mmCIF file of all heavy atoms in Angstrom:
data_model
loop_
_atom_site.group_PDB
_atom_site.id
_atom_site.type_symbol
_atom_site.label_atom_id
_atom_site.label_comp_id
_atom_site.label_asym_id
_atom_site.label_seq_id
_atom_site.Cartn_x
_atom_site.Cartn_y
_atom_site.Cartn_z
ATOM 1 N N ASP A 181 23.498 9.719 28.538
ATOM 2 C CA ASP A 181 22.997 10.902 29.327
ATOM 3 C C ASP A 181 23.121 10.573 30.789
ATOM 4 O O ASP A 181 22.862 9.500 31.256
ATOM 5 C CB ASP A 181 21.542 11.121 28.950
ATOM 6 C CG ASP A 181 21.054 12.565 29.285
ATOM 7 O OD1 ASP A 181 20.916 12.843 30.485
ATOM 8 O OD2 ASP A 181 20.987 13.431 28.366
ATOM 9 N N ASP A 182 23.420 11.647 31.573
ATOM 10 C CA ASP A 182 23.701 11.523 32.986
ATOM 11 C C ASP A 182 22.408 11.725 33.840
ATOM 12 O O ASP A 182 22.430 11.512 35.014
ATOM 13 C CB ASP A 182 24.749 12.488 33.455
ATOM 14 C CG ASP A 182 26.113 12.165 32.820
ATOM 15 O OD1 ASP A 182 26.469 10.984 32.755
ATOM 16 O OD2 ASP A 182 26.839 13.132 32.448
ATOM 17 N N ASP A 183 21.300 12.068 33.235
ATOM 18 C CA ASP A 183 20.064 12.237 33.871
ATOM 19 C C ASP A 183 19.402 10.862 34.040
ATOM 20 O O ASP A 183 19.002 10.225 33.043
ATOM 21 C CB ASP A 183 19.104 13.184 33.084
ATOM 22 C CG ASP A 183 17.843 13.516 33.850
ATOM 23 O OD1 ASP A 183 17.579 12.841 34.908
ATOM 24 O OD2 ASP A 183 17.176 14.461 33.485
ATOM 25 N N PRO A 184 19.239 10.378 35.282
ATOM 26 C CA PRO A 184 18.649 9.057 35.498
ATOM 27 C C PRO A 184 17.195 8.968 34.991
ATOM 28 O O PRO A 184 16.731 7.844 34.703
ATOM 29 C CB PRO A 184 18.694 8.863 37.006
ATOM 30 C CG PRO A 184 18.831 10.225 37.595
ATOM 31 C CD PRO A 184 19.650 11.007 36.569
ATOM 32 N N ARG A 185 16.505 10.061 34.894
ATOM 33 C CA ARG A 185 15.162 10.029 34.308
ATOM 34 C C ARG A 185 15.101 9.676 32.843
ATOM 35 O O ARG A 185 13.997 9.379 32.318
ATOM 36 C CB ARG A 185 14.426 11.343 34.593
ATOM 37 C CG ARG A 185 14.289 11.749 36.087
ATOM 38 C CD ARG A 185 13.810 13.073 36.247
ATOM 39 N NE ARG A 185 14.748 14.118 35.776
ATOM 40 C CZ ARG A 185 14.597 15.428 35.798
ATOM 41 N NH1 ARG A 185 13.431 15.866 36.329
ATOM 42 N NH2 ARG A 185 15.544 16.264 35.333
ATOM 43 N N LYS A 186 16.228 9.769 32.162
ATOM 44 C CA LYS A 186 16.282 9.481 30.742
ATOM 45 C C LYS A 186 16.818 8.091 30.405
ATOM 46 O O LYS A 186 17.146 7.814 29.303
ATOM 47 C CB LYS A 186 17.105 10.582 29.998
ATOM 48 C CG LYS A 186 16.512 11.952 30.078
ATOM 49 C CD LYS A 186 17.385 12.975 29.393
ATOM 50 C CE LYS A 186 16.828 14.366 29.469
ATOM 51 N NZ LYS A 186 17.630 15.394 28.793
ATOM 52 N N ALA A 187 16.970 7.270 31.451
ATOM 53 C CA ALA A 187 17.580 5.920 31.285
ATOM 54 C C ALA A 187 16.856 5.118 30.278
ATOM 55 O O ALA A 187 17.507 4.263 29.609
ATOM 56 C CB ALA A 187 17.717 5.242 32.625
ATOM 57 N N SER A 188 15.575 5.259 30.114
ATOM 58 C CA SER A 188 14.804 4.462 29.223
ATOM 59 C C SER A 188 14.298 5.225 27.978
ATOM 60 O O SER A 188 13.418 4.750 27.243
ATOM 61 C CB SER A 188 13.601 3.791 29.926
ATOM 62 O OG SER A 188 14.050 3.008 31.037
ATOM 63 N N LEU A 189 14.810 6.372 27.765
ATOM 64 C CA LEU A 189 14.315 7.274 26.737
ATOM 65 C C LEU A 189 14.806 6.771 25.371
ATOM 66 O O LEU A 189 15.864 6.285 25.196
ATOM 67 C CB LEU A 189 14.883 8.694 26.975
ATOM 68 C CG LEU A 189 14.370 9.799 26.002
ATOM 69 C CD1 LEU A 189 12.916 10.030 26.171
ATOM 70 C CD2 LEU A 189 15.148 11.110 26.257
ATOM 71 N N VAL A 190 13.880 6.930 24.367
ATOM 72 C CA VAL A 190 14.187 6.654 22.976
ATOM 73 C C VAL A 190 13.976 7.911 22.192
ATOM 74 O O VAL A 190 12.873 8.524 22.214
ATOM 75 C CB VAL A 190 13.323 5.483 22.466
ATOM 76 C CG1 VAL A 190 13.605 5.265 20.945
ATOM 77 C CG2 VAL A 190 13.629 4.231 23.210
ATOM 78 N N LEU A 191 14.949 8.386 21.414
ATOM 79 C CA LEU A 191 14.837 9.557 20.630
ATOM 80 C C LEU A 191 15.333 9.206 19.176
ATOM 81 O O LEU A 191 16.349 8.582 19.037
ATOM 82 C CB LEU A 191 15.750 10.692 21.137
ATOM 83 C CG LEU A 191 15.333 11.465 22.345
ATOM 84 C CD1 LEU A 191 16.409 12.443 22.799
ATOM 85 C CD2 LEU A 191 14.041 12.218 22.133
ATOM 86 N N GLU A 192 14.505 9.627 18.231
ATOM 87 C CA GLU A 192 14.832 9.434 16.823
ATOM 88 C C GLU A 192 15.257 7.961 16.547
ATOM 89 O O GLU A 192 16.124 7.678 15.757
ATOM 90 C CB GLU A 192 16.002 10.350 16.376
ATOM 91 C CG GLU A 192 15.682 11.843 16.546
ATOM 92 C CD GLU A 192 14.580 12.308 15.611
ATOM 93 O OE1 GLU A 192 14.467 11.724 14.489
ATOM 94 O OE2 GLU A 192 13.785 13.212 15.992
ATOM 95 N N GLY A 193 14.512 7.058 17.219
ATOM 96 C CA GLY A 193 14.755 5.622 16.971
ATOM 97 C C GLY A 193 15.982 5.092 17.733
ATOM 98 O O GLY A 193 16.292 3.911 17.562
ATOM 99 N N GLN A 194 16.655 5.892 18.484
ATOM 100 C CA GLN A 194 17.838 5.415 19.252
ATOM 101 C C GLN A 194 17.577 5.592 20.781
ATOM 102 O O GLN A 194 17.015 6.551 21.177
ATOM 103 C CB GLN A 194 19.083 6.198 18.827
ATOM 104 C CG GLN A 194 19.358 6.187 17.357
ATOM 105 C CD GLN A 194 19.727 4.841 16.872
ATOM 106 O OE1 GLN A 194 20.185 3.937 17.605
ATOM 107 N NE2 GLN A 194 19.521 4.608 15.588
ATOM 108 N N ARG A 195 18.065 4.664 21.540
ATOM 109 C CA ARG A 195 17.791 4.688 22.968
ATOM 110 C C ARG A 195 19.068 5.129 23.704
ATOM 111 O O ARG A 195 20.166 5.089 23.232
ATOM 112 C CB ARG A 195 17.291 3.325 23.500
ATOM 113 C CG ARG A 195 18.325 2.174 23.354
ATOM 114 C CD ARG A 195 17.656 0.898 23.818
ATOM 115 N NE ARG A 195 18.641 -0.167 23.844
ATOM 116 C CZ ARG A 195 19.333 -0.550 24.888
ATOM 117 N NH1 ARG A 195 19.202 0.171 26.000
ATOM 118 N NH2 ARG A 195 20.225 -1.519 24.859
ATOM 119 N N VAL A 196 18.808 5.532 24.958
ATOM 120 C CA VAL A 196 19.944 5.871 25.920
ATOM 121 C C VAL A 196 20.593 4.612 26.352
ATOM 122 O O VAL A 196 19.936 3.688 26.951
ATOM 123 C CB VAL A 196 19.394 6.717 27.061
ATOM 124 C CG1 VAL A 196 20.533 6.912 28.048
ATOM 125 C CG2 VAL A 196 18.817 8.058 26.640
ATOM 126 N N LEU A 197 21.879 4.499 26.133
ATOM 127 C CA LEU A 197 22.622 3.239 26.382
ATOM 128 C C LEU A 197 23.381 3.291 27.699
ATOM 129 O O LEU A 197 23.877 2.230 28.195
ATOM 130 C CB LEU A 197 23.610 2.995 25.288
ATOM 131 C CG LEU A 197 23.018 2.899 23.864
ATOM 132 C CD1 LEU A 197 24.135 2.703 22.799
ATOM 133 C CD2 LEU A 197 22.066 1.646 23.755
ATOM 134 N N GLY A 198 23.455 4.435 28.314
ATOM 135 C CA GLY A 198 24.208 4.532 29.579
ATOM 136 C C GLY A 198 24.478 5.902 29.978
ATOM 137 O O GLY A 198 23.839 6.863 29.439
#
Side-chain angles (χ1 to χ4, degrees):
D181 200 284
D182 294 319
D183 187 346
R185 295 172 297 179
K186 296 179 180 179
S188 302
L189 184 65
V190 176
L191 284 175
E192 300 294 328
Q194 304 296 336
R195 66 185 184 89
V196 175
L197 301 175

